[in-house]
Amino acid sequence: MSLTNNNAQTRANLIKARAAFTIMKNEMVATTTPKNLDIIAQRILTDAKRNAPVRTGALRASGRVKRVNQFRRRVQFGGAGTGVDYAQAVEFGTVFTRPKPYLEPAVIKNIKKTPAIVRPSIRKWLQKLVLMGQSD
């Protein structure tokens, strides 16, 4: 095989690998990212509930994760229909009360853990990509 043929074959393989990677990346983003976001949001909610001060338990009970769209989650406390209109006052304080943060510490704790949560799914997709490359 001549050098020109080797270069042409290498270029063709690179083009195929790039196309496969693009397809895998899009599939990974569409399937894995939402699952990881659900896991992270649920962990934030669990930690925030654990951190929340308790007088009646209503603040803790009002916590929930809202799926805004495929790539966004919102961890909420209080609000419409919960009977808890003081969640923000507890988190940030008022003129009369000192802040008792429960949500922000949970977010900070879980931001630090995010790479460990996401790493296994990225590893799985990279292994798939490698296997695809070996099957050619």
Side-chain angles (χ1 to χ4, degrees):
M1 195 182 271
S2 71
L3 187 58
T4 307
N5 286 343
N6 272 345
N7 287 343
Q9 184 63 42
T10 300
R11 182 172 166 71
N13 286 341
L14 286 172
I15 290 169
K16 282 173 41 180
R18 182 178 181 191
F21 183 76
T22 300
I23 291 167
M24 295 277 297
K25 178 193 72 154
N26 293 341
E27 187 179 332
M28 181 178 129
V29 167
T31 59
T32 305
T33 302
K35 289 176 189 173
N36 285 330
L37 288 173
D38 290 337
I39 291 167
I40 293 164
Q42 195 58 50
R43 287 181 178 198
I44 290 170
L45 177 64
T46 299
D47 289 340
K49 284 183 172 187
R50 193 175 296 128
N51 296 342
V54 178
R55 189 174 289 167
T56 66
L59 178 60
R60 283 185 178 179
S62 75
R64 64 208 177 276
V65 174
K66 181 178 180 191
R67 185 179 179 141
V68 177
N69 61 39
Q70 185 178 7
F71 301 111
R72 189 167 174 212
R73 306 295 182 270
R74 181 178 297 139
V75 178
Q76 297 178 292
F77 284 82
T82 64
V84 176
D85 58 357
Y86 52 86
Q88 189 173 353
V90 174
E91 177 78 13
F92 300 109
T94 67
V95 175
F96 305 107
T97 62
R98 65 178 179 78
K100 296 176 191 148
Y102 56 93
L103 187 53
E104 183 179 10
V107 170
I108 291 169
K109 175 182 174 185
N110 285 282
I111 283 174
K112 292 176 183 175
K113 292 180 175 181
T114 298
I117 294 167
V118 174
R119 194 175 296 121
S121 57
I122 292 173
R123 187 175 293 122
K124 176 182 151 192
W125 283 100
L126 288 174
Q127 287 170 343
K128 276 186 173 182
L129 189 60
V130 167
L131 290 174
M132 278 180 59
Q134 291 175 351
S135 67
D136 289 339

